[in-house]
Amino acid sequence: MTNKGTSVVVVGGGVTGLSTAWWLARSGVDVTVLEKGIVGFEASGRNGGGCTHYQSPLFHEEQRLWPQMDELLGYPTEYRRERIVFQVDERKANFADGLSMRIPAGYEWEVLDGKQVRERVPLAGDNAICGVHLHFGGHANPQRTSQAYAWAARDLGVAIHQHVAVSGFETAGGRVVGVETSAGRFGCDALVIAAGPQTGKLSAMLGNPVPMAAARAEMIVTEPLPLMPTGGVDGNGLYGRQTLRGNLAYGGGPHEWYDDTPLDGPPPRPSGSVLRGLSRRLADLLPRAAHARVIRSWAGVIENTPDGRPVIERLSAPDNVTVATMSSVGFGLSPASGHAIRDLVLDGVCSFADLSKLSRARFKELSGDWRRDLNWLPPQPATPTEGAAL
Amino acid sequence: MTRPETRLILPAPDRHSIAGKTATPDEHAELVVIGAGPAGCAAATEAARAGVQVVLIDENPVSPGLIGMDVPFHFGGRATSAVQTPERLVEHVLESNPALAEAFELGVDVRLSTSAWGAWVNGPGLRSLATGVIGLADEARSWTLGFDRLILATGARDLNLSFAGSDQPGVMGAQALHALLVRYDAFAGRRLVILGSGELAIATAELARARGLEVLALVEARDAPVGDAARLAALAGQGVEIITAHVPLAAEGGADGVTGIILVETSEPGRRRTLACDTVCLAVGAVPVIELFDVLGAARAMVPERGGHVPVVDAQGATSLAHVFAAGDCTGLGGDAAAAGRSAARAALASLGRPAEAPEAVFRPVGPDALAYQLDWTRALLATGGPEVMVCLCEEVTRGELLAVQPPRYLGWSSNAIARRNLATLAQDGPLDQDQIKRLTRACMGACQARRCREQVALTMALGGEVPATSIPLAGYRAPVRPLPLAVLADGHETADMTENWNVWFGIVTQWISYDDIGTAREDEQIRAGMPY
């Protein structure tokens, strides 16, 4: 079976791929997205929803775009500006110093004492000792945003094929000319690989491996509580938000490295291994919510490169391919990452930021044993020990 | 000082992963049985007789807080004040369940008022576990119980179908009515109308009458009753009206809840009649409780003749997971639950290398197509009651909002773009998926953990998307499968490694260096300073 060709095939229907498709379609490009499951159904739709990434070269564009996204997409993202981060552990009393090293000039923020934290965070308690209030950044609803990209892209004519797994690429004359999938071949003039944990493998099929390892991280969700004035509140080793419905949705804590993630199916499931640790820390962070009932948990499987930084690169060979992994921090940056990838695909260079430090070239000298060296390996079962006597 | 930009700076070896941080379970048992109904009690006693150390877990009597949230059954506000003191119900729970009393006598370690909110075994994505683990909780705390073998006998729960006014006290499920009448002796109603005319509805009517309650009618959406003709005739002879081709349009109510039910003729919605009653009992169907199977990742299948989504089990009760067995209604409705429990226990004993009698192959009856029946009810309720009726009570999502895939009301969002979307267009984009619908509409996202709406949302999706009801994938169950307070779920005894090396994200220090500083002296400064928080 051969499908009608398209100008650009985007492999991966997560936020990065969907944003890319939307940006390309806004420029009038004919785009097809191939997604092995449902759009935004893996880590893109299951994360903390944070939109505050001052370490990234895409930060300024992230901050510029988020307040406009509802209007640009035509569908709701639940974006809200501002974040408050606070601590309940004396050892973190000076955590604002670490932020002052990193937050770029021109973004307003203030340091809070415990009393100020309690004034601004009604669910905080007497144990709050210090915090910061960022008058930029914010949070959005990951699943709603993922679907918003997908619908907005469709409205602009993008074809999104769900439940289609990519198995290989067809090259000719040094270019990728087709994508082989479980639904047949899709012809293309250009290719974008933005497939989360599968990005490395897929790119390797084209002779351009991207070193990465996948891991699972988990979150918990409580029943709804009365809305706090600022929903983007976290700290105490947690990231997360109060949703606009009022649920507390928080993650953090240990991840589990995976050997591999399949190209044709969902990654392994939630484990519950940090659910109680999350509950403990959330009850400590927001003691006035300690009665709130946890009603579900989530897990997302995300990839990291060895230094935890993205790879966003237009390959030199095949030169019509752009690969992108956001290295476990992709949701909030997605309005900007899609723009950047659109620029690389159409113009060969990002129009609004320098991305030169995000190429694969930095991994040239990487050891073949880097996962072992970094201790990024799946755990071994603990030695069975006698449980406590009944 | 500037370094060459290509120089690779790697983070320190990871000490923030789960490796080495998983605590040994607080307790351990050779065999754990969850659910002290007929299947679970039979399994526990069979294993105890063989000399195995057995822990039998059951959430009854459940706390008044959970009863108020319709967990685990759809109690519908018709429990008496007796449920406010669950400890006083224990005696009745034992009296009403001789098999449980026998398990006690045989030395089974019975834990009542204890809920199992999660279960895990070593497998893909969960390599840190040395044994299977169950998460347990009571009102005050949570803890973990390791097991060598697990038998799930979690029974069935209520199928809820909503209609106008069905969110008020007095509209309840048949499993809840059974629990309140038999296990707790704590039912507050007197005059019942029962919805359905199949085996469940008939058994519910017989039970209610045996307890001295008045049963006004059985109401059936289909044109003819679906249950055993002789038993229906007997009920009719006792004054129970069998009303066919009708569904409820609305429950009337007052301060104490339901005072009557308005029925409407399915083919002639203008024709209505009202029955004065204090309780409307939904007995259209029951749902196998497969929550823990799904959390465990056991293989399952959609089997309409067995009640819907059920775990895949062999004739002896083995699941797809080597250490997990199952028996009773949770494997599919009907059959000899006690025989299934004994068989699962023998299979578990054999897998433990314990001497055991050979497991008997358990006959699993094939019932009527439960989904077709439920779909007929859903279709009739939708056609007569219209789009304004709530399909998800916790999140206040109407049938119409579900069919139109509308964003939740609290967003106050409306646009032409969103107005063009509905279940039918979504079905064109790809197979309908209930988890996707949950996130878009919030239907099934509430504090009752979708016990009151999961099935009717799936059925309504099938109607709106014009796809077979059996094609709608299960909306996944995730731990905790009981709504537990943060303070209860909180781990008071986590490992020192977990405490010391907990990090908000991966703890990759190079990830958080400001881009402009990469390759400059400021990078070294930030690496020395460590993670920002």
Side-chain angles (χ1 to χ4, degrees):
Chain A
M1 178 171 62
T2 295
N3 289 274
K4 177 176 150 294
T6 188
S7 293
V8 180
V9 166
V10 176
V11 180
V15 275
T16 306
L18 292 168
S19 176
T20 298
W22 175 69
W23 276 99
L24 286 165
R26 292 178 83 206
S27 298
V29 176
D30 176 26
V31 185
T32 295
V33 177
L34 304 177
E35 164 54 46
K36 70 181 165 64
I38 296 174
V39 289
F41 233 52
E42 294 183 25
S44 292
R46 309 179 189 201
N47 58 69
C51 309
T52 319
H53 300 101
Y54 36 79
Q55 80 282 2
S56 172
L58 305 174
F59 174 59
H60 305 294
E61 184 70 351
E62 175 193 51
Q63 297 307 302
R64 182 181 80 84
L65 285 168
W66 267 115
Q68 313 173 49
M69 288 308 285
D70 278 7
E71 194 176 339
L72 292 175
L73 294 168
Y75 298 90
T77 64
E78 301 192 24
Y79 169 75
R80 290 294 182 275
R81 192 195 289 271
E82 300 201 349
R83 289 206 80 91
I84 294 173
V85 185
F86 72 97
Q87 303 297 349
V88 297
D89 180 344
E90 285 293 345
R91 287 171 298 180
K92 293 184 178 172
N94 298 317
F95 85 106
D97 296 348
L99 294 183
S100 64
M101 285 184 188
R102 298 161 205 264
I103 295 176
Y107 291 90
E108 190 195 340
W109 62 291
E110 54 186 312
V111 177
L112 310 177
D113 62 22
K115 179 165 173 287
Q116 289 169 310
V117 168
R118 284 184 287 279
E119 284 164 4
R120 297 178 198 202
V121 182
L123 295 174
D126 293 341
N127 59 344
I129 54 169
C130 63
V132 296
H133 192 156
L134 311 182
H135 296 279
F136 58 92
H139 59 99
N141 179 322
Q143 177 64 26
R144 207 170 296 290
T145 302
S146 301
Q147 190 70 55
Y149 283 125
W151 279 342
R154 278 189 200 274
D155 288 345
L156 295 175
V158 173
I160 300 178
H161 297 271
Q162 302 182 112
H163 306 286
V164 170
V166 171
S167 54
F169 302 102
E170 182 187 339
T171 53
R175 296 170 67 82
V176 171
V177 297
V179 180
E180 290 145 15
T181 78
S182 56
R185 176 186 178 276
F186 289 79
C188 65
D189 300 326
L191 174 70
V192 174
I193 303 174
Q198 286 76 39
T199 303
K201 278 198 258 203
L202 290 167
S203 186
M205 291 180 187
L206 294 167
N208 290 266
V210 182
M212 58 174 58
R216 180 203 60 244
E218 298 189 12
M219 299 188 70
I220 57 171
V221 185
T222 71
E223 63 187 320
L225 295 168
L227 288 182
M228 298 191 286
T230 300
V233 170
D234 54 22
N236 194 33
L238 304 173
Y239 61 88
R241 59 198 263 270
Q242 182 177 38
T243 69
L244 299 193
R245 171 72 174 100
N247 311 80
L248 304 177
Y250 284 84
H255 45 274
E256 177 161 339
W257 294 107
Y258 284 8
D259 270 329
D260 193 20
T261 51
L263 281 172
D264 57 352
R269 306 161 48 81
S271 77
S273 50
V274 294
L275 203 153
R276 296 175 70 219
L278 289 169
S279 299
R280 172 184 171 167
R281 282 165 182 78
L282 186 52
D284 285 345
L285 180 75
L286 302 174
R288 289 176 188 166
H291 66 283
R293 291 178 184 270
V294 180
I295 57 176
R296 58 183 165 270
S297 58
W298 304 334
V301 174
I302 48 265
E303 77 282 12
N304 266 300
T305 66
D307 60 3
R309 295 170 185 162
V311 168
I312 305 177
E313 180 182 354
R314 169 95 173 250
L315 301 179
S316 49
D319 69 359
N320 64 338
V321 177
T322 304
V323 296
T325 165
M326 296 304 291
S327 195
S328 81
V329 185
F331 171 73
L333 290 165
S334 62
S337 61
H339 187 184
I341 298 164
R342 173 243 167 250
D343 288 357
L344 291 178
V345 172
L346 297 186
D347 309 325
V349 63
C350 177
S351 62
F352 58 88
D354 164 45
L355 302 178
S356 60
K357 299 176 199 173
L358 301 184
S359 79
R360 294 173 311 118
R362 67 186 191 270
F363 298 123
K364 207 167 44 192
E365 307 295 326
L366 187 71
S367 156
D369 289 329
W370 68 273
R371 285 194 65 170
R372 190 201 62 198
D373 296 344
L374 293 183
N375 198 26
W376 288 16
L377 298 173
Q380 299 301 310
T383 314
T385 52
E386 291 301 311
L390 284 165
Chain B
M1 192 183 83
T2 306
R3 289 193 300 259
E5 284 178 5
T6 51
R7 184 178 153 200
L8 178 64
I9 311 263
L10 291 176
D14 185 13
R15 53 193 171 83
H16 306 292
S17 83
I18 194 69
K21 295 183 180 59
T22 307
T24 303
D26 298 311
E27 306 180 288
H28 186 90
E30 211 173 349
L31 175 68
V32 176
V33 180
I34 299 179
C41 286
T45 50
E46 182 78 11
R49 284 201 184 96
V52 169
Q53 173 210 21
V54 186
V55 174
L56 174 60
I57 307 287
D58 195 280
E59 62 191 327
N60 291 289
V62 296
S63 71
L66 289 178
I67 286 179
M69 296 174 76
D70 290 329
V71 177
F73 301 129
H74 185 192
F75 292 104
R78 273 293 177 261
T80 66
S81 60
V83 301
Q84 297 300 320
T85 47
E87 59 281 7
R88 291 194 202 161
L89 296 177
V90 169
E91 203 175 322
H92 198 85
V93 165
L94 285 170
E95 271 172 21
S96 65
N97 188 350
L100 179 57
E102 188 189 356
F104 256 121
E105 282 161 24
L106 281 167
V108 171
D109 182 351
V110 179
R111 312 282 184 86
L112 297 179
S113 296
T114 302
S115 51
W117 50 266
W120 299 274
V121 290
N122 190 299
L126 190 43
R127 291 291 178 207
S128 57
L129 291 181
T131 69
V133 179
I134 300 162
L136 296 177
D138 58 22
E139 279 293 275
R141 68 184 184 107
S142 63
W143 69 99
T144 54
L145 169 60
F147 62 82
D148 295 332
R149 296 295 181 274
L150 172 65
I151 297 177
L152 293 175
T154 46
R157 64 173 167 80
D158 287 311
L159 172 81
N160 181 35
L161 300 172
S162 55
F163 43 89
S166 71
D167 56 339
Q168 61 191 321
V171 179
M172 67 183 308
Q175 310 289 322
L177 180 65
H178 184 272
L180 292 180
L181 286 174
V182 176
R183 285 188 197 150
Y184 297 174
D185 192 17
F187 175 59
R190 294 289 315 158
R191 284 167 62 86
L192 287 81
V193 168
I194 294 173
L195 304 184
S197 68
E199 168 60 29
L200 180 65
I202 293 170
T204 301
E206 290 168 348
L207 171 67
R209 284 190 46 79
R211 299 289 166 129
L213 302 171
E214 184 178 1
V215 179
L216 296 176
L218 264 54
V219 178
E220 173 52 54
R222 286 184 173 173
D223 292 339
V226 298
D228 180 74
R231 288 164 71 196
L232 283 164
L235 285 171
Q238 291 156 355
V240 178
E241 190 180 359
I242 313 296
I243 305 173
T244 56
H246 279 72
V247 289
L249 181 68
E252 296 180 319
D256 297 325
V258 171
T259 57
I261 182 89
I262 304 170
L263 301 177
V264 59
E265 202 172 309
T266 52
S267 56
E268 188 58 62
R271 292 167 71 171
R272 298 171 185 184
R273 54 181 293 200
T274 301
L275 299 175
C277 60
D278 57 38
T279 300
V280 177
C281 180
L282 280 143
V284 172
V287 183
V289 174
I290 62 164
E291 298 155 350
L292 292 174
F293 295 101
D294 202 35
V295 171
L296 280 158
R300 72 182 138 64
M302 161 54 84
V303 187
E305 299 77 19
R306 302 278 294 146
H309 296 285
V310 290
V312 174
V313 291
D314 72 7
Q316 283 79 40
T319 71
S320 65
L321 302 171
H323 296 170
V324 181
F325 300 80
D329 281 349
C330 65
T331 67
L333 305 175
D336 185 340
R342 281 192 299 276
S343 179
R346 290 174 189 176
L349 290 169
S351 82
L352 281 166
R354 294 285 197 137
E357 289 183 53
E360 339 159 32
V362 175
F363 171 67
R364 297 186 197 285
V366 174
D369 184 330
L371 252 68
Y373 182 54
Q374 294 164 15
L375 197 66
D376 284 350
W377 266 91
T378 308
R379 189 184 291 111
L381 285 164
L382 179 62
T384 54
E388 298 303 317
V389 173
M390 292 290 171
V391 71
C392 170
L393 300 175
C394 298
E395 298 294 311
E396 298 186 329
V397 180
T398 65
R399 294 168 181 165
E401 287 162 338
L402 172 64
L403 292 166
V405 196
Q406 287 300 295
R409 291 176 189 183
Y410 61 80
L411 289 180
W413 185 278
S414 64
S415 68
N416 289 331
I418 209 104
R420 287 195 297 270
R421 305 279 168 195
N422 57 40
L423 276 172
T425 68
L426 203 66
Q428 288 159 18
D429 295 348
L432 291 179
D433 187 285
Q434 193 170 352
D435 276 324
Q436 186 181 24
I437 286 297
K438 273 171 75 172
R439 296 173 199 174
L440 294 176
T441 66
R442 294 200 66 84
C444 297
M445 290 282 249
C448 82
Q449 299 181 314
R451 281 177 191 80
R452 299 185 296 187
C453 62
R454 185 182 293 266
E455 290 72 32
Q456 65 174 332
V457 166
L459 293 162
T460 307
M461 284 172 61
L463 293 173
E466 297 181 346
V467 297
T470 50
S471 76
I472 307 289
L474 177 76
Y477 290 97
R478 279 163 286 156
V481 301
R482 292 292 177 272
L484 299 172
L486 284 168
V488 169
L489 201 51
D491 186 355
H493 300 97
E494 68 183 27
T495 61
D497 192 358
M498 178 81 91
T499 305
E500 283 159 26
N501 293 310
W502 181 282
N503 194 275
V504 64
W505 195 225
F506 282 79
I508 301 172
V509 69
T510 45
Q511 183 160 48
W512 304 102
I513 307 300
S514 299
Y515 181 79
D516 291 344
D517 297 335
I518 295 173
T520 73
R522 284 176 54 82
E523 177 171 23
D524 300 321
E525 189 193 344
Q526 290 173 38
I527 288 174
R528 275 195 305 276
M531 296 291 292
Y533 42 78

